[in-house]
Amino acid sequence: MNQPVAPSLLAAQAWKAVGVARPHESAELHVLGQATYTDDIPELQGTLHAALGLSSKAHARINAMDLAPVRNSPGVVAVYTAEDIVGTNDCGPIIHDDPILSAGEVMYVGQPIFIVVADTHDNARRAARRAVIGYDELPAIFTPQQAKAAQSYVLPPMQLKRGDYQAAFERAPNVVKGQLFVGGQEQFYLEGQIAYAIPKEDHGMLVQCSTQHPSEMQHVVAHALGVHAHKVLVECRRMGGGFGGKESQSALWAASASIAAAKLRRPVKLRADRDDDMLVTGKRHCFFYEYEVGYDDSGKILAAKVDMTLRSGFSADLSGPVATRAVCHFDNTYYLSDVDIRAGCGKTNTQSNTAFRGFGGPQGAIAIEYVVDEIARNLGRDALDIRRLNFYGKTERNVTPYGQVVVDNVIEALTAELELTSEYRARRAAVEAYNATSPVLKKGLALTPLKFGIAFNVTHLNQAGALVHVYVDGSVLVNHGGTEMGQGINTKVMQVVAHELGLGLDHVRATATDTSKVANTSATAASTGADLNGKAAQDAARQIRERLAAFAVKLYGDDDGVPVQFFDNAVHVNGHVVPFAELVQKAYLARVQLWSDGFYATPGLHWDPKTMNGHPFSYYAYGAAVSEVVVDTLTGEWKLLRADALYDAGRSLNPAIDLGQVEGAFIQGMGWLTTEQLWWNPAGKLMTHAPSTYKIPGVSDCPQDFRVRLFDNGNVEDSIHRSKAVGEPPLLLPFSVFFAIRDAISAVGGHRVHPPLNAPATSEEILRAVAAVEFAA
């Protein structure tokens, strides 16, 4: 006979602190304006302010530099150049090719040459403009196309091959060939780059910094100052947005402030003006593609080749890992039997491009979606049917080009659900009917899927640590290696700890990320923040829970093997309900350890960068979106009428936060593909360096009808409470907006001509595509 379940077990199973919607832990502080960002930290007496002197040439040797006008400017205390750096003049995260200050040759307009320190922020900025610098100009490269033609690369090109592409391509009855350009994107975090460096005793340095990677900042500052890492403490309570732009790019600002602070033995704050921030820092990589694909008469892809060239900028930064992820995401949701995927990190005289939400994944996947769109048009089929035909299978056709088996494939079921709930087929018919009677305004509709690998491609980065402290009053403090940039990682980690200890969320608090508490942390990036740090915090809390459970059994006895239960702010043991705080107080008096560290390393990962083969991802996240647009073919204006998105967050840790992340990623990705154009003038100066010229989406760009849901699907991997990452993958959902616009333009020519639409699909780009279709038709 089945034994009845103890009432305490039933109650424990019903109680939970994860999988429930909870407000962001700083929501109230955000709304009241009381959340402390780096620039809000009260300045110590004697604080000085720094600014950077920037290059006005794209590529040149400095032949003369008169800094006397800078030094003689009001309020200036000191000016420093590369010669004043006592340690290593480098802030490159992987390859050491990125100087903090130029040492004679400038590589882009906006490259820092010197640091000026003054009594006020304004005086420092004004003084930085007064340098008289002479240049001998050198040839410059600005576009990925130019870089490819010149064979100018920051890293050796990479290639992933499977099968025999050439033979399969030659056998294919149909082929599609073409080119595509997809622009980059400014991270446009609301809080700009900032660092506040405070000298400490014995050559120590405290750096308050807006960064996604405190440990990297610690290393760069230590190297620049010529000291060991234990002399440098980096702290970050929160960022006002990061999006990848504060992973490696914050190093320049942290190092510059620290160099000046160490020289002067006074606190120095370096806060970038928005224009300087955009001129100096790297963005999302723009990509240039050349592709050729063979397919059969049904639309099944038989062979695929793509050559991707990135605009990496003047140094490597994170271009290698970005290109690798692009290569590994070219397949998106499709099985590709015979492939030749190439990527080259083009060296250009522009800002050194860097991480941005998606980290190359979106740029890799959009290329195959462009191809599928063209195959469908060639065959006169709905693109959704061609996509479905090429989906990965569950038991066959389920191995990626890089050798990883797709074991958690839910894309067919997810797509089917979205097709039904979005009324895709009926709306497709309605769009065709509308276009048949509307010569100027054209509607477009598209459904696009996504598959996104979760983990750092560099295996050793998939680790995290955490500290959990239980105080005598029963309150709990957690510190972990992740950084809070508004995405809710602290809220989720707090929920994990609260769940493990059976406490309400108000009993748990998260503190600032601090290199003196959790050491050697990985960047909060690659959508791994909650996965890694949640597991580490769970490990720490579990150890404390086990100690308390053993202590409770000593006090109250064993209930015939029924485990001690922690829930609803109490400990349930052998018929006793003991308030958590009461048990903690007794445990303290009995000298039970009430704090613990936790650690987690993602299992089963391996990757060979030479063969580009392995098992680089812990699991895949999936999603799909349907977008309907209307385009004015006379002006190039367009409007998103409705968007339906379905995203696989596994067993969501916090559905409210996850839905917000999906919505935000959708709009941010839509901006990348439609309005956010980066434009350099012929001299190589970025002209879109302020909100007046760089257009991120506004409230009016959001669709009035915006339907976002989470797909019901537990993670097959042992992730934190079977949840899935939600930071980066949803950025691929607005592919549907871009292809809906392309669908509307295609209607101008009766869907007989491929619109040569590049991204971003600005009004000017749309008009060019419309004109090309009209001419060809």
Side-chain angles (χ1 to χ4, degrees):
M1 294 178 61
N2 293 330
Q3 294 295 320
V5 179
S8 63
L9 285 176
L10 291 173
Q13 291 167 1
W15 186 92
K16 61 181 181 179
V18 296
V20 291
R22 292 288 183 266
H24 190 287
E25 47 92 19
S26 295
E28 186 173 318
L29 299 178
H30 291 156
V31 171
L32 295 176
Q34 296 174 355
T36 300
Y37 295 89
T38 302
D39 202 31
D40 300 320
I41 297 170
E43 294 176 5
L44 298 176
Q45 184 177 1
T47 293
L48 298 171
H49 298 264
L52 300 177
L54 309 178
S55 167
S56 61
K57 301 297 180 182
H59 190 200
R61 290 190 184 92
I62 297 173
N63 59 34
M65 184 161 59
D66 182 4
L67 297 178
V70 180
R71 293 188 174 95
N72 295 330
S73 295
V76 170
V77 175
V79 179
Y80 300 113
T81 65
E83 295 178 352
D84 297 303
I85 299 175
V86 298
T88 305
N89 181 21
D90 179 78
C91 58
I94 302 175
I95 306 296
H96 301 302
D97 60 350
D98 196 342
I100 298 166
L101 299 175
S102 171
E105 182 180 358
V106 294
M107 302 296 289
Y108 72 100
V109 176
Q111 183 171 9
I113 300 173
F114 62 88
I115 306 165
V116 56
V117 187
D119 57 350
T120 69
H121 173 74
D122 284 347
N123 279 343
R125 287 198 68 227
R126 292 177 188 277
R129 268 61 176 174
R130 293 178 177 171
V132 180
I133 301 176
Y135 299 95
D136 292 326
E137 293 197 54
L138 300 169
I141 294 173
F142 298 126
T143 69
Q145 295 95 316
Q146 292 171 350
K148 183 176 182 180
Q151 292 293 289
S152 172
Y153 299 108
V154 296
L155 295 166
M158 58 186 68
Q159 183 178 21
L160 170 61
K161 298 178 72 174
R162 176 166 72 174
D164 188 340
Y165 160 76
Q166 194 60 43
F169 182 76
E170 291 172 359
R171 289 194 304 268
N174 307 289
V175 300
V176 58
K177 298 181 180 181
Q179 297 180 345
L180 171 66
F181 180 85
V182 175
Q185 185 180 22
E186 163 65 33
Q187 289 87 357
F188 215 92
Y189 24 69
L190 291 182
E191 175 204 32
Q193 298 280 1
I194 183 170
Y196 186 27
I198 303 167
K200 294 294 183 178
E201 66 179 14
D202 193 22
H203 304 289
M205 188 67 66
L206 166 62
V207 185
Q208 303 276 2
C209 185
S210 184
T211 180
Q212 294 173 238
H213 202 344
S215 289
E216 176 72 16
M217 301 309 103
Q218 180 187 33
H219 298 157
V220 170
V221 170
H223 292 154
L225 300 184
V227 300
H228 289 300
H230 67 208
K231 297 277 190 179
V232 179
L233 190 159
V234 178
E235 181 179 282
C236 178
R237 171 59 183 91
R238 60 172 60 84
M239 289 165 274
F243 307 114
K246 296 176 181 176
E247 182 175 342
S248 64
Q249 297 282 302
S250 48
L252 166 67
W253 313 91
S256 297
S258 299
I259 289 166
K263 289 282 187 181
L264 296 167
R265 302 305 301 165
R266 291 174 66 178
V268 174
K269 180 186 285 188
L270 174 54
R271 172 170 57 85
D273 175 81
R274 178 66 65 179
D275 295 81
D276 289 348
D277 192 321
M278 293 183 71
L279 278 172
V280 173
T281 61
K283 295 96 176 59
R284 184 190 297 281
H285 294 72
C286 65
F287 273 57
F288 172 67
Y289 311 83
E290 294 176 299
Y291 59 87
E292 56 180 31
V293 175
Y295 59 97
D296 66 18
D297 293 336
S298 70
K300 182 176 290 186
I301 295 173
L302 304 177
K305 179 180 180 180
V306 64
D307 193 337
M308 304 181 278
T309 306
L310 296 67
R311 177 190 272 141
S312 294
F314 79 98
S315 68
D317 196 82
L318 297 172
S319 292
V322 167
T324 299
R325 186 165 284 263
V327 168
C328 289
H329 283 77
F330 173 68
D331 60 326
N332 196 20
T333 56
Y334 311 117
Y335 176 75
L336 305 175
S337 59
D338 296 81
V339 298
D340 183 353
I341 308 170
R342 307 181 185 198
C345 300
K347 183 173 184 177
T348 56
N349 295 108
T350 55
Q351 293 81 359
S352 187
N353 284 328
T354 190
F356 196 133
R357 194 177 196 173
F359 203 78
Q363 295 100 309
I366 197 170
I368 194 65
E369 293 299 336
Y370 204 84
V371 167
V372 170
D373 188 61
E374 297 199 337
I375 291 173
R377 194 171 292 107
N378 284 345
L379 296 176
R381 301 271 305 279
D382 190 308
L384 174 56
D385 296 328
I386 304 302
R387 290 185 166 99
R388 269 213 172 98
L389 180 68
N390 286 285
F391 277 166
Y392 275 105
K394 288 195 172 184
T395 58
E396 55 183 11
R397 292 169 52 88
N398 63 343
V399 181
T400 65
Y402 46 89
Q404 180 163 339
V405 177
V406 181
V407 298
D408 59 342
N409 186 1
V410 297
I411 192 59
E412 177 57 52
L414 187 150
T415 301
E417 182 177 323
L418 181 64
E419 179 186 11
L420 181 65
T421 59
S422 68
E423 307 166 295
Y424 176 82
R425 298 294 177 180
R427 290 168 63 196
R428 169 61 70 194
V431 164
E432 292 176 358
Y434 176 90
N435 288 339
T437 60
S438 178
V440 174
L441 299 180
K442 295 292 185 181
K443 286 187 176 182
L445 185 72
L447 188 158
T448 57
L450 73 89
K451 173 181 67 67
F452 197 93
I454 304 300
F456 289 99
N457 271 74
V458 180
T459 302
H460 75 263
L461 297 178
N462 295 283
Q463 59 175 298
L467 294 173
V468 174
H469 295 202
V470 177
Y471 294 98
V472 177
D473 65 354
S475 63
V476 179
L477 194 70
V478 57
N479 185 273
H480 58 90
T483 52
E484 176 64 56
M485 61 195 90
Q487 85 280 34
I489 185 174
N490 281 347
T491 308
K492 289 184 174 181
V493 170
M494 288 164 58
Q495 286 181 270
V496 167
V497 172
H499 186 85
E500 202 68 20
L501 297 176
L503 299 174
L505 196 58
D506 58 335
H507 288 69
V508 183
R509 179 171 177 260
T511 56
T513 310
D514 180 336
T515 56
S516 69
K517 292 177 180 168
V518 178
N520 308 319
T521 59
S522 296
T524 305
S527 301
T528 63
D531 281 8
L532 294 176
N533 294 284
K535 276 285 195 180
Q538 182 187 47
D539 179 43
R542 176 189 52 76
Q543 295 177 55
I544 298 171
R545 174 187 174 127
E546 289 174 353
R547 293 187 201 122
L548 288 173
F551 177 68
V553 170
K554 284 183 180 180
L555 287 183
Y556 302 103
D558 188 4
D559 188 10
D560 294 328
V562 176
V564 178
Q565 299 296 322
F566 290 69
F567 65 93
D568 202 17
N569 301 319
V571 181
H572 302 252
V573 52
N574 196 20
H576 297 269
V577 179
V578 186
F580 182 80
E582 180 181 321
L583 183 66
V584 165
Q585 290 164 9
K586 292 180 178 179
Y588 168 72
L589 294 174
R591 297 186 295 179
V592 174
Q593 183 179 335
L594 295 174
W595 61 270
S596 186
D597 63 315
F599 181 77
Y600 177 72
T602 310
L605 303 179
H606 58 92
W607 175 251
D608 185 338
K610 294 181 180 178
T611 62
M612 301 201 76
N613 217 261
H615 191 287
F617 304 120
S618 175
Y619 61 86
Y620 296 101
Y622 300 89
V626 177
S627 291
E628 182 177 348
V629 304
V630 61
V631 174
D632 186 330
T633 59
L634 296 182
T635 66
E637 295 176 281
W638 64 278
K639 188 170 183 63
L640 177 58
L641 301 174
R642 174 179 165 183
D644 297 65
L646 184 59
Y647 180 72
D648 167 29
R651 298 277 181 254
S652 172
L653 289 173
N654 188 321
I657 283 179
D658 286 351
L659 283 170
Q661 285 290 292
V662 175
E663 292 168 353
F666 188 98
I667 298 301
Q668 187 173 53
M670 182 180 76
W672 165 49
L673 294 172
T674 59
T675 63
E676 298 184 40
Q677 184 176 30
L678 295 166
W679 183 73
W680 287 262
N681 70 13
K685 181 179 180 180
L686 179 69
M687 302 304 291
T688 49
H689 54 77
S692 58
T693 51
Y694 185 79
K695 299 299 182 182
I696 64 172
V699 173
S700 60
D701 296 307
C702 300
Q704 288 188 341
D705 193 349
F706 196 13
R707 311 182 189 192
V708 178
R709 293 185 301 111
L710 300 180
F711 184 65
D712 184 17
N713 174 46
N715 196 345
V716 298
E717 294 297 324
D718 183 25
S719 59
I720 184 68
H721 291 288
R722 300 288 175 172
S723 63
K724 286 192 176 184
V726 75
E728 295 175 303
L731 195 125
L732 282 67
L733 293 170
F735 284 5
S736 58
V737 177
F738 178 82
F739 288 106
I741 292 173
R742 198 177 190 217
D743 183 56
I745 299 170
S746 176
V748 173
H751 300 294
R752 297 183 301 273
V753 179
H754 296 306
L757 186 68
N758 294 309
T762 61
S763 294
E764 296 87 347
E765 182 65 25
I766 289 172
L767 284 179
R768 281 193 288 269
V770 167
V773 169
E774 289 176 333
F775 178 80

